Amino acid sequence: MTIRMPVVGVLFLSILMAGGCNPGTPSSRSNGIPPEEVTDYIYAVIEADRTTYTREVVYRLQDVEHVIQVNQHFKEEKALPLPSQMLRMGATLVSEKGKFRYALISPWAINKANLPKSNFEKKGLEAVVKEPNKPYKSYETAGGKKYFMALYPDKAVSPACIHCHNHHPDARRKDFKLGDVMGGIVIALPVS
Amino acid sequence: MYKVMGVAGLVLAVLGGMFVTGRQQIFLPAHTSDGHHLLEAACSSCHVPFKGIPNEKCIACHRAELAEDIHPMRMFDDPRWAATLETLNVLSCITCHREHRVVPRSLTISREFCFPCHDDVVVKRANHRTFPASSCGRAGCHNYHDNTVLNAAFLKKHIHEPETHTPHGLPQWGDPVPSGAQPVPPKYPKSLSGTPETVVRWKRSIHALKKVNCMDCHTGAGGAFYRRPDEASCKRCHRFEVESFYGGKHGARRALNLTPLRPEDARLPMKAAGRTRPKQVGCGTCHDPHTVDTRPAAVDACLSCHDDLHSRSFRGSKHAATLRASTEGLRHGPQAVTCATCHLPRMKVEEEKGARVAVNHNNTFSLRPRDRMVKMVCLSCHGLELAMTSIMDDQLVRNNFKGRPRQRIETFLMIEALLADERKSGEMR
């Protein structure tokens, strides 16, 4: 009896330690949703909102009904924001909550600020242009902080997209077709 | 030894006494910029002990100017900009603006700061190729925080407007007084005997017609009668006006709970002290608190202190001629151009009750960049080119726009060339 108790105790402690010390992936350690899936959910919402705005608001009201125009200076001109502005305004509101960030970038960005900046963005854009159905994901460090980053394709979902971009004087590419990948949406989740 | 210690102790005591009694100017290293000099007696206006100068201190006063910032900090607080921030930390105001140095608008950073991000301008804009990298902001064309006027689209749209519009398009402000309105009977404490002359003045005011009675302003803590209410009383109904007042030089000291601004604190020329010059600036200084007549507030109040050439030239200017022909009851008429028209511009504000046109009481809001006044005020009456060339002409500004601008601004030559190119190529920029 006195010999078995220590053995049972060691066994019990070993089981406890095995259950609590599995390093695994950050997601399994936290028992939450893996970041790879979280970014998929986020992208699904961004893509849906962006597509809806571009098709049902911009293309319909500007190009079909001829009721109102889009304009970069939409407040002064009493016009509609550009679809890219609509996405960026949403991204700003999200960033103010401090949970995660997202941005619209492109190798053919009209504004230099939206060209790919990091190796992740450059490689990610190359990857999604080549294989649009396969998002590019990895853990990255920027500014001393660690992030899970995912890059998804941003496609020409409406004639409004290609008409504007193919005729913009500062465009770096002017031969987009409907369905082409025009850039990417990069999502950055801070991880501890 | 003891003598030295005694003298040192005395000096420390004197310095410490000056520090705690709000006489901190003695500790100032070098000169403070215009505007900030009004706060230099209180180091804590900007400085937080052991924490430097956090952005919140700047934004507390400059929030209105940054409301439409085209380079908002939140844009750069993003892992995408991590590498750029190592070169230029735009997440901190003092990266670019350092005080206690004699430079215009405290812009202490190299003038070429735009170029690392915007070096593609020489490719995208052929007409910019010969411009030096340091000229982006120095030439008066671009402003890091506010570019709403000086962008190609706005300039192209407004370039060929006539010099003056008729009728003027100044937005009208203020709730209309109901027709046939009569002043309500005054209600004040019985301890104030007789019918003071102030009550007589109040009875003729718009407050009386709109049922704003004595105790609505003169109520202090606990409902007691407060003989001299300050702007906190006005703020109960005029929130935007008071908060904007706090954002300008007139009210910046009050925003930080310092004593009100006095004319002698100003660096601009002021009238000599005397019976007619106000002793300090508050709501009641410009608006007689009982007549609340905005007509003297819009001109006479300003000229009771300001004594620079621009101010002295106003009464003889074309703008002042509009006053003689325009009056409507207790307000200046819709065609009148006063000091307040330009320096306290009217703007649409959104409040809980809905949008209204209000007077922005921040007396510095429309001054910098100069094209902000063009957009907010001048374009209501004038074409863009006349307005811009006039306001950029320092001599014309000093004499209150007597005469014509001396030269055409190169910006408009560039825009005309751009329009000509577009007509040839059929492509809009």
Side-chain angles (χ1 to χ4, degrees):
Chain A
M1 201 59 151
T2 50
I3 294 171
R4 271 192 229 150
M5 283 303 293
V7 171
V8 168
V10 167
L11 269 175
F12 181 65
L13 280 172
S14 301
I15 292 166
L16 269 182
M17 285 172 67
C21 293
N22 179 10
T25 60
S27 57
S28 60
R29 192 167 56 230
S30 68
N31 290 325
I33 304 171
E36 308 80 54
E37 281 185 37
V38 171
T39 56
D40 286 347
Y41 300 157
I42 294 170
Y43 170 68
V45 174
I46 296 170
E47 190 204 19
D49 287 347
R50 185 160 154 65
T51 301
T52 302
Y53 178 73
T54 306
R55 288 179 180 163
E56 304 303 334
V57 180
V58 172
Y59 179 63
R60 187 174 62 86
L61 293 180
Q62 174 180 259
D63 297 305
V64 177
E65 304 289 353
H66 305 291
V67 169
I68 189 170
Q69 299 279 306
V70 284
N71 194 295
Q72 180 185 349
H73 307 285
F74 57 91
K75 285 185 184 175
E76 283 167 29
E77 302 301 324
K78 296 181 174 52
L80 294 173
L82 304 173
S84 60
Q85 288 177 310
M86 175 260 182
L87 182 142
R88 291 205 174 86
M89 288 190 283
T92 299
L93 290 176
V94 165
S95 73
E96 286 169 359
K97 295 186 185 342
K99 300 287 185 188
F100 66 94
R101 292 181 167 270
Y102 62 93
L104 179 62
I105 62 173
S106 171
W108 310 287
I110 289 170
N111 187 329
K112 185 190 167 195
N114 304 320
L115 289 171
K117 290 188 186 297
S118 62
N119 281 335
F120 170 84
E121 291 182 354
K122 289 172 188 164
K123 287 183 182 170
L125 282 173
E126 283 173 14
V128 299
V129 167
K130 204 172 169 184
E131 288 183 88
N133 294 328
K134 192 176 170 188
Y136 187 81
K137 302 177 182 180
S138 82
Y139 286 91
E140 300 287 326
T141 299
K145 295 179 188 171
K146 194 169 181 187
Y147 299 87
F148 178 78
M149 289 199 175
L151 201 150
Y152 297 83
D154 186 62
K155 295 183 182 175
V157 296
S158 161
C161 308
I162 56 179
H163 179 77
C164 178
H165 280 264
N166 286 347
H167 292 90
H168 196 289
D170 294 334
R172 295 168 206 263
R173 179 180 161 184
K174 295 187 179 184
D175 62 349
F176 290 111
K177 294 182 289 297
L178 208 57
D180 278 352
V181 174
M182 298 180 71
I185 292 174
V186 59
I187 301 171
L189 295 185
V191 293
S192 52
Chain B
M1 174 69 174
Y2 290 114
K3 276 186 189 172
V4 170
M5 287 172 64
V7 168
L10 186 63
V11 168
L12 280 172
V14 167
L15 291 176
M18 293 182 80
F19 192 87
V20 299
T21 56
R23 294 181 179 82
Q24 294 167 356
Q25 290 95 327
I26 194 169
F27 300 102
L28 280 172
H31 201 65
T32 39
S33 55
D34 290 346
H36 285 177
H37 79 281
L38 300 172
L39 313 174
E40 63 188 13
C43 304
S44 59
S45 305
C46 301
H47 293 272
V48 176
F50 309 109
K51 290 186 181 178
I53 303 169
N55 291 339
E56 289 72 27
K57 287 287 188 177
C58 311
I59 293 168
C61 293
H62 294 285
R63 187 180 304 278
E65 288 93 324
L66 298 173
E68 301 286 335
D69 193 349
I70 55 167
H71 288 97
M73 280 185 192
R74 58 179 182 270
M75 185 171 93
F76 299 100
D77 188 14
D78 184 314
R80 303 195 65 236
W81 293 97
T84 306
L85 290 175
E86 285 173 12
T87 310
L88 182 66
N89 181 17
V90 295
L91 295 182
S92 172
C93 302
I94 61 172
T95 297
C96 302
H97 301 279
R98 296 198 77 89
E99 241 315 340
H100 304 298
R101 296 173 198 198
V102 187
V103 289
R105 292 183 291 290
S106 303
L107 188 63
T108 46
I109 198 172
S110 161
R111 296 283 171 168
E112 297 183 4
F113 72 92
C114 307
F115 218 63
C117 292
H118 291 282
D119 57 355
D120 60 335
V121 68
V122 295
V123 173
K124 288 161 75 168
R125 302 282 180 267
N127 55 15
H128 282 53
R129 280 186 196 141
T130 58
F131 296 165
S134 61
S135 66
C136 304
R138 190 191 291 275
C141 301
H142 297 290
N143 183 284
Y144 180 83
H145 293 293
D146 184 342
N147 214 36
T148 52
V149 171
L150 288 166
N151 63 76
F154 190 90
L155 293 166
K156 283 192 295 182
K157 183 180 176 184
H158 293 279
I159 185 172
H160 291 132
E161 288 173 337
E163 289 194 343
T164 307
H165 312 309
T166 306
H168 300 323
L170 288 165
Q172 296 310 301
W173 65 275
D175 297 334
V177 177
S179 64
Q182 294 294 319
V184 293
K187 285 184 188 168
Y188 52 88
K190 288 177 186 166
S191 56
L192 296 176
S193 59
T195 308
E197 188 261 337
T198 48
V199 174
V200 173
R201 296 210 307 273
W202 168 81
K203 274 188 175 174
R204 293 197 292 263
S205 75
I206 202 163
H207 275 173
L209 295 176
K210 297 199 86 175
K211 302 186 172 68
V212 179
N213 217 313
C214 310
M215 293 308 288
D216 291 319
C217 299
H218 285 277
T219 302
F225 180 78
Y226 187 32
R227 185 169 284 275
R228 290 188 186 279
D230 61 13
E231 66 271 3
S233 175
C234 309
K235 192 176 173 179
R236 286 186 219 133
C237 297
H238 300 282
R239 187 182 187 89
F240 172 76
E241 286 79 358
V242 173
E243 287 184 348
S244 58
F245 169 74
Y246 286 151
K249 284 182 183 172
H250 283 167
R253 287 180 59 86
R254 293 297 300 138
L256 298 170
N257 289 320
L258 300 173
T259 53
L261 178 73
R262 303 166 306 169
E264 56 264 38
D265 295 329
R267 285 183 176 165
L268 289 174
M270 295 283 150
K271 295 254 168 69
R275 198 170 57 83
T276 55
R277 190 183 88 171
K279 290 185 172 48
Q280 61 187 33
V281 182
C283 300
T285 310
C286 302
H287 300 274
D288 178 284
H290 297 101
T291 64
V292 290
D293 189 341
T294 56
R295 289 171 298 179
V299 178
D300 300 331
C302 316
L303 300 182
S304 65
C305 288
H306 287 275
D307 198 34
D308 51 281
L309 181 57
H310 177 84
S311 303
R312 293 201 305 271
S313 305
F314 175 74
R315 293 216 189 267
S317 71
K318 284 186 178 177
H319 283 155
T322 62
L323 301 181
R324 294 185 272 281
S326 184
T327 184
E328 279 190 358
L330 295 168
R331 297 197 179 111
H332 280 116
Q335 302 298 299
V337 180
T338 65
C339 306
T341 307
C342 302
H343 293 279
L344 303 180
R346 299 164 209 177
M347 52 192 290
K348 195 177 272 188
V349 294
E350 291 176 11
E351 297 175 330
E352 281 180 16
K353 286 187 279 189
R356 68 177 175 106
V357 175
V359 176
N360 186 336
H361 280 57
N362 178 340
N363 65 315
T364 45
F365 184 75
S366 60
L367 289 180
R368 293 277 184 269
R370 294 194 198 189
D371 47 271
R372 180 177 285 156
M373 184 179 285
V374 168
K375 186 177 182 188
M376 293 188 80
V377 184
C378 310
L379 291 188
S380 298
C381 307
H382 296 290
L384 178 65
E385 186 165 0
L386 177 68
M388 282 286 287
T389 48
S390 300
I391 212 162
M392 296 296 183
D393 185 328
D394 288 344
Q395 184 175 299
L396 207 56
V397 169
R398 275 196 294 273
N399 71 19
N400 216 306
F401 307 104
K402 185 177 180 182
R404 302 276 306 171
R406 287 172 293 170
Q407 61 184 35
R408 211 179 173 201
I409 297 176
E410 190 177 350
T411 301
F412 293 100
L413 298 170
M414 291 165 61
I415 291 294
E416 282 184 344
L418 193 63
L419 286 169
D421 282 345
E422 285 176 2
R423 281 193 292 271
K424 273 188 210 166
S425 66
E427 194 174 75
M428 297 291 289
R429 281 194 174 270

